[in-house]
Amino acid sequence: LQQPMYIFLSMLAASDLGLCASTFPTMVRLFWLGARELPFDLCAAQMFFIHAFTYVESGVLLAMAFDRIVAIRDPLHYATILTHSAMAKVGAAILVRAVVLNLPGPMLLRHLLFPQISVLSHCYCLHCDLVGLACSDTQINSLVGLVSILLSLGLDSCLIVLSYTLILRTVLGLASPGERLKALNTCVSHLCIVLIFYLPKLGLSVLHRVEKHSYPALAVLMANLHFLVPPFMNPIVYCIKS
């Protein structure tokens, strides 16, 4: 259990728990208790933690992709490259990046003017949703949000695709079909949770830009599922694989 992959899995589990803890209170308030009002400070805090834990999970998935690259391309130096100190530094870097990228959002929101009664699109607070409700100029907020996404989810997804391109090149260079299958088999679980993490976000993004107003119930359902499905499926995927 002290192998790098299991340590990365513990980081993934921690980010999943943090994301659930961030979204669960308002879901319970809304669906169970029928409470439909949320103070601005609480909403801004929830927005920060939701985005921070999402970026942490994305960073952990990237770190796990790097783990697979080293394991397949340079297995003899695996233990010397991915030491406990190296993984601690990676974990700290992922956490610091998530905090730094999300700190400006709540601070800039305090300078915006909002209507007396603002209705959110979801049962939790997201940066794009809050910025869309503001009555004042939101260009800086939108720019900060875009840069934050590009430096986290955008960069991570591109690097994960690059890592699997390198893995495929290495695997296709193996002589035996059995060795190729064995090497690819070590990546199946990680590839599954990457798809589980990114595909719902992509689907929700497309829905918001195309048919959000035509199918509002579908938009709300997708918004809830894209936070609930990954923490639910990740343990199942890795338990079955293990």
Side-chain angles (χ1 to χ4, degrees):
L1 292 177
Q2 293 182 5
Q3 292 179 1
M5 179 52 74
Y6 290 106
I7 295 175
F8 286 135
L9 277 177
S10 68
M11 294 181 187
L12 185 68
S15 64
D16 281 340
L17 287 172
L19 193 57
C20 290
S22 301
T23 55
F24 185 70
T26 49
M27 287 187 180
V28 170
R29 280 168 53 89
L30 178 63
F31 294 122
W32 194 357
L33 303 178
R36 296 181 174 273
E37 294 182 359
L38 194 65
F40 176 80
D41 289 338
L42 188 59
C43 190
Q46 185 188 47
M47 180 199 77
F48 172 81
F49 284 111
I50 285 176
H51 289 297
F53 282 116
T54 300
Y55 293 176
V56 166
E57 184 160 351
S58 178
V60 171
L61 291 178
L62 176 59
M64 293 170 78
F66 178 73
D67 172 88
R68 292 299 85 206
I69 287 181
V70 176
I72 291 174
R73 290 175 65 91
D74 197 6
L76 296 179
H77 295 95
Y78 180 79
T80 57
I81 295 174
L82 289 172
T83 60
H84 286 177
S85 62
M87 286 185 293
K89 291 175 183 176
V90 169
I94 290 171
L95 189 60
V96 168
R97 183 189 70 163
V99 172
V100 169
L101 288 178
N102 282 290
L103 269 180
M107 294 179 180
L108 290 171
L109 282 175
R110 289 191 163 277
H111 299 288
L112 298 179
L113 298 175
F114 291 93
Q116 189 67 30
I117 299 176
S118 302
V119 181
L120 296 172
S121 303
H122 312 300
C123 56
Y124 41 78
C125 301
L126 297 178
H127 183 261
C128 58
D129 204 5
L130 290 172
V131 169
L133 294 173
C135 301
S136 48
D137 184 26
T138 59
Q139 285 187 351
I140 296 177
N141 300 75
S142 299
L143 181 61
V144 167
L146 178 62
V147 170
S148 175
I149 290 174
L150 289 177
L151 292 178
S152 54
L153 300 179
L155 179 63
D156 291 349
S157 58
C158 291
L159 291 176
I160 289 172
V161 170
L162 177 62
S163 69
Y164 272 99
T165 303
L166 296 174
I167 287 172
L168 278 175
R169 284 184 59 186
T170 304
V171 169
L172 292 175
L174 297 175
S176 167
E179 289 177 349
R180 294 177 188 173
L181 187 62
K182 185 178 179 181
L184 288 175
N185 191 43
T186 63
C187 302
V188 170
S189 298
H190 178 254
L191 190 57
C192 285
I193 61 173
V194 166
L195 294 176
I196 289 169
F197 180 77
Y198 282 104
L199 285 182
K201 286 177 171 41
L202 180 62
L204 182 63
S205 177
V206 171
L207 187 65
H208 267 270
R209 282 159 178 76
V210 179
E211 294 292 344
K212 177 184 175 182
H213 301 292
S214 301
Y215 304 100
L218 181 60
V220 172
L221 178 64
M222 284 288 292
N224 288 329
L225 288 180
H226 100 287
F227 279 128
L228 296 175
V229 169
F232 173 72
M233 290 301 298
N234 291 347
I236 294 175
V237 169
Y238 270 97
C239 283
I240 291 174
K241 186 70 174 64
S242 300

